[in-house]
Amino acid sequence: MAQQRSRAPALARSSVDERKAKLERIATYLGNDDHRQRLVRALSSDLGKPAVESLLSEVGAVHGHIKYICQHLQRWMEPRRVATPLSMAGTVNYIYYEPKGCVLILSPWNYPFNLAVVPLLYAMAAGCPVVLKPSEASPATTAYLKRMVEELYDPHEVTVVEGEADTAAALTRLPFDHIFFTGSPAVGKKVMAAAAENLSSVTLELGGKSPCVVAPDVDIHKSARNVAWGKFFNAGQTCTAPDYLLVHESIAANYVRALTEALHDYYGSDPRASNSLARIVNRRQHDHLSGLLAEALTAGATTAAGGQHDAADRYFAPTILTRVTPAMRIMREEIFGPILPVLTYRTPEEALAVIHGLPKPLAFYLQANDRNFIRRFLAETSAGGTMVNEFFLSQGNPALPFGGVNNSGIGKSFGYHGWVGFCNERSVLERKFFDLSVVYPPYTDRVRRLVERLHRWL
């Protein structure tokens, strides 16, 4: 940390072109077929990720952010003029963007390359030195990250620290200027408490129970296929995956049938043999999922599809649960796996009551065509982001801010919002002409009358 602090002033002075060149090193590295295939193999080792999912959500996402940052960085870095009120005539006012300083990035295991590298890109673009601590639960990808960073960057500018949870906890107690954490709300609270001891600013990308409301006017077949893809991509181990469905009761039976058919089309009659289904990251997460499922079944839920699992193979079948109630534990905790509870509703008020009974989610999904229905749910709910008739794609648009609300996160990332999160927006006022000497002490009656006239005039 001392080494990075010594380098921080030089990084703060670095030019647009120097910062862009650092980002493009990663693009060039991933453009090498051997490097890219090593990453795909690492992701397969950690999560059983199909190559297509790795290329889409890990490699492709990183390339997209590099391109976007390089296109916009010059404009972001320029001081931004702001309006000058009449009372400050003779001054110019602007916002100067400076890097916050030394940054700690704590990244998770579910998208272990994407969610480590994307915040790293924005921190480097802001001119910050970075300590990156990837998850110990994805060791193959962590090893890949460490090797890549050591080959591309001076450790005084970027370094990867490996270790278990105690290493991450120790790092959060250091006086970093900013901490960027992606993970669960429970751990996010610990990170925020540790950061408070040093008054370090934080960006917390968390999670929660993201709902998907299905209106009665949808194309059932098309909508169900969309939902099944959004939920079971990466075996449901996605912070923005729909955590439960609220389906209008008039179409519920047909909708569940269409979901089951979609699973068969995607993963075959034996999903365990499919090359398109990822695995659960480890035994601990498998046990969490199997426990949620067992409790739900005991409480009266039924499996419309799936339910099979095998800890030894880290396998968990895509599972559709029906007869689920809001009181079940599976509806009180984030699932983070391939189990999709389906609840029904008769009126919008019933669906809203379920949503409002849970903390504000990271993502909110609507499958609907009626504009009034869509507008009502947008107006009467709160979430980090919302997608209508689609999943994931908003995360592919760097122009949209990404982040949660309260329990699902603090601060935003992606695009300008991600870059400015690593910056201090420094206000600057410069006097060009005139001055305020007419109101300097001593405060005579003449000065007082002048100030009174100025107040009336302005």
Side-chain angles (χ1 to χ4, degrees):
M1 193 169 187
Q3 292 171 339
Q4 291 200 345
R5 284 207 183 281
S6 70
R7 185 64 60 87
L11 293 179
R13 295 192 300 269
S14 60
S15 68
V16 173
D17 288 340
E18 288 171 329
R19 297 183 191 187
K20 286 164 64 174
K22 290 179 183 176
L23 308 189
E24 287 166 349
R25 291 179 206 171
I26 293 178
T28 301
Y29 193 88
L30 294 175
N32 179 284
D33 188 62
D34 288 341
H35 293 161
R36 190 170 58 254
Q37 291 308 316
R38 276 198 301 110
L39 175 57
V40 169
R41 289 194 296 271
L43 292 164
S44 177
S45 173
D46 287 332
L47 288 150
K49 281 200 182 192
V52 170
E53 292 191 3
S54 294
L55 293 171
L56 281 173
S57 63
E58 306 272 6
V59 180
V62 168
H63 273 299
H65 282 281
I66 292 172
K67 182 178 180 180
Y68 189 85
I69 295 169
C70 290
Q71 287 174 338
H72 297 276
L73 185 57
Q74 181 167 345
R75 179 170 57 84
W76 295 344
M77 287 178 63
E78 292 172 354
R80 180 164 64 89
R81 286 284 294 269
V82 298
T84 300
L86 189 59
S87 60
M88 296 182 182
T91 69
V92 294
N93 299 261
Y94 56 93
I95 298 171
Y96 178 83
Y97 297 95
E98 61 185 22
K100 283 186 174 178
C102 293
V103 167
L104 171 64
I105 296 173
L106 301 169
S107 61
W109 51 260
N110 58 323
Y111 291 88
F113 187 76
N114 175 342
L115 297 180
V117 175
V118 169
L120 172 62
L121 297 174
Y122 287 101
M124 289 193 296
C128 298
V130 177
V131 171
L132 170 61
K133 165 60 177 72
S135 173
E136 66 279 7
S138 49
T141 310
T142 293
Y144 181 94
L145 282 165
K146 186 172 180 63
R147 177 176 169 182
M148 182 188 78
V149 166
E150 288 176 348
E151 290 182 17
L152 298 182
Y153 301 108
D154 183 328
H156 294 185
E157 298 179 6
V158 184
T159 192
V160 172
V161 175
E162 297 179 283
E164 302 291 324
D166 58 342
T167 300
L171 287 168
T172 61
R173 291 192 290 270
L174 296 175
F176 283 96
D177 297 297
H178 188 75
I179 299 176
F180 190 107
F181 169 78
T182 305
S184 70
V187 179
K189 292 175 184 178
K190 295 178 182 179
V191 171
M192 193 170 184
E197 292 298 315
N198 295 303
L199 293 179
S200 302
S201 59
V202 296
T203 301
L204 304 178
E205 298 286 3
L206 307 177
K209 297 197 73 64
S210 297
C212 177
V213 180
V214 182
D217 66 346
V218 297
D219 178 324
I220 291 176
H221 177 76
K222 181 179 178 180
S223 174
R225 292 178 69 84
N226 190 210
V227 168
W229 178 73
K231 172 62 180 180
F232 298 108
F233 191 97
N234 199 34
Q237 297 168 116
T238 304
C239 57
T240 55
D243 217 63
Y244 62 99
L245 285 187
L246 284 162
V247 184
H248 195 272
E249 67 174 11
S250 65
I251 63 168
N254 289 336
Y255 201 89
V256 169
R257 190 177 304 113
L259 283 171
T260 302
E261 291 170 358
L263 294 184
H264 185 274
D265 291 345
Y266 292 169
Y267 308 113
S269 57
D270 180 12
R272 186 172 191 157
S274 172
N275 293 324
S276 300
L277 181 67
R279 290 301 189 258
I280 306 306
V281 66
N282 54 31
R283 178 63 180 263
R284 178 181 177 184
Q285 182 65 9
H286 178 277
D287 291 348
H288 164 71
L289 295 170
S290 60
L292 286 177
L293 177 61
E295 285 191 30
L297 295 175
T298 300
T302 60
T303 53
Q308 304 83 10
H309 52 88
D310 181 357
D313 189 33
R314 296 185 293 155
Y315 168 70
F316 212 107
T319 300
I320 308 294
L321 277 186
T322 55
R323 297 185 182 177
V324 176
T325 67
M328 294 178 181
R329 185 165 75 97
I330 202 165
M331 282 297 297
R332 311 308 299 180
E333 297 182 13
E334 185 176 13
I335 298 170
F336 221 72
I339 306 172
L340 182 59
V342 179
L343 293 83
T344 62
Y345 69 95
R346 289 172 293 179
T347 65
E349 290 78 12
E350 287 185 359
L352 288 165
V354 174
I355 295 166
H356 292 158
L358 296 165
K360 295 175 183 178
L362 179 58
F364 178 73
Y365 298 101
L366 278 169
Q367 296 275 309
N369 295 306
D370 185 307
R371 298 308 305 172
N372 290 327
F373 186 95
I374 293 168
R375 280 193 289 266
R376 177 171 185 183
F377 276 86
L378 283 173
E380 297 187 30
T381 60
S382 177
T386 296
M387 275 170 272
V388 181
N389 298 325
E390 193 50 271
F391 293 89
F392 294 140
L393 290 191
S394 70
Q395 297 167 56
N397 183 359
L400 287 172
F402 178 80
V405 185
N406 302 132
N407 192 72
S408 57
I410 295 173
K412 300 293 183 181
S413 58
F414 292 6
Y416 168 79
H417 304 274
W419 176 79
V420 81
F422 292 105
C423 295
N424 173 42
E425 296 179 274
R426 184 174 181 174
S427 60
V428 180
L429 181 149
E430 289 188 40
R431 171 67 65 182
K432 294 294 187 180
F433 55 91
F434 298 147
D435 61 37
L436 295 179
S437 58
V438 292
V439 295
Y440 291 171
Y443 299 131
T444 62
D445 288 343
R446 174 180 171 278
V447 171
R448 181 179 56 79
R449 288 193 297 272
L450 175 60
V451 169
E452 288 175 347
R453 283 198 296 272
L454 285 173
H455 276 302
R456 289 195 295 272
W457 180 46
L458 298 175

